[in-house]
Amino acid sequence: MSATNYTEFLAQTKLLTGSDSVYNLADELSKDSDSPLLIVTDKGIKNSGMLDQVLEVLQPLNLEVHIFDDVKPNPTIENTQSIYENHKSNQIKSIVALGGGSVIDTAKAVSILFTNDGPLDKYFGFDLYENSPLPLYAIPTTVGTGSEGGNATVLTVEENNNRFKKLIFGADLFPKVAVLDGKLISGMPGHLVSSTGMDALTHAIEGYVSLNGSVITDALNLHAVKVIGDNILQAYSNTNNITAMNNMVQASCSTGIGMSNGGLGLVHGISHAIGAKYDAPHGIVNAILLPYVLEYNWVSNPEKFSDIANALRVDTVRLTVEQAAKAGVARVFELTEEVGIPSQLNEIGVEEKDIDTLAEMAINDDLYMQPNPRSVSLNDIKRILNKAL
Ligand SMILES: [Fe+2]
């Protein structure tokens, strides 16, 4: 007999939250099981002083520490393979990922390579590698990836002269520990709060209306909509507002756990096509697309879209459910503008001549098309892209 409305919920990451929680990372690591340790990060993080702060936390533990500090945005299989090649002789036992989504996803991919044969492209899909990856300690430095709470890594691959984003999922690809320290990441540029924060809002909204969601993922996603709506403007206008930064980084992680279990939708389907083709920043592409996709999707489930309006503090008292749903979409358009995100894709270099290719790439991405609450055709995607262009 098989269950009806069956879902599985996985969450395996221990979350350390609050200001200065990065110092508690020392309690999670041990010289016996985690050394030699590889820190994976990027130049921006190194220059910000955050890498030095993490090294200071690790210093009393006397671990053998190796550092790779040159992660590129939208990482490729080749990027991750070369990090592994450069460090395989160091007998690495665990990895610390210090950075945004590209860093954490790179670290996850490298953690698989240390225990499984490459190349990684044979592992695209669900649970296809054999051995558990190395333990991963993730310290997100943005407020949007969600990867620190999830069990997937997104990599860019080239096939037939076109670039695609593909995912490896693993039941044991969750980071062992994630540090959500709003004080550590305070003072970051405001535009990073807006782009990554709007990515988190996209995860939360797409997750809440996903066809694969459950009561449990709804709880993680809808509350995240509320927390992000209440905090993103304060965090964007003053990234030293530590309360707002703590709230944002926790809400982002909540959506990461949500998306690992309930999936996403059309925004991510289109944005992965754009991100792969133009090497464009994921958060900004999502933020631009989000209201246009919501405008298309809301009719599929006005009740849930009116919940989103309420979570975003839209006054819906005198509105019908349908009016409330539409008012929620309008609020997302406004919010995008208020946090300084461009309103059109052409402002980030997307060209009209590529719309057919982008729509084709998106519609073939079943991972995101299937959970989308409203069924979608190739022409629907072209229409959305033309509006957003
Ligand atoms: Fe995303």
Side-chain angles (χ1 to χ4, degrees), residues 144-145 199-200 202-203 259 264 268 271-272 282-283 286:
T145 166
D199 186 23
T202 308
H203 299 155
M259 77 176 140
L264 294 168
H268 274 76
S271 90
H272 275 188
H282 177 73
N286 276 342

Side-chain angles (χ1 to χ4, degrees), residues 126 165-167 169 212 263-265 269 272 362 364-372:
F126 293 82
K165 291 203 175 191
K166 292 193 166 186
L167 283 82
F169 289 86
N212 297 346
L264 294 168
H272 275 188
N364 288 319
D365 200 339
D366 201 43
L367 185 67
Y368 299 115
M369 294 305 115
Q370 181 276 323
N372 195 65

Side-chain angles (χ1 to χ4, degrees), residues 78 177 183 207 234 236 307 327 354 359 385:
E78 294 74 27
V177 174
K183 186 174 165 192
Q234 294 171 51
Y236 164 65
D307 292 343
D354 291 328
L385 276 166

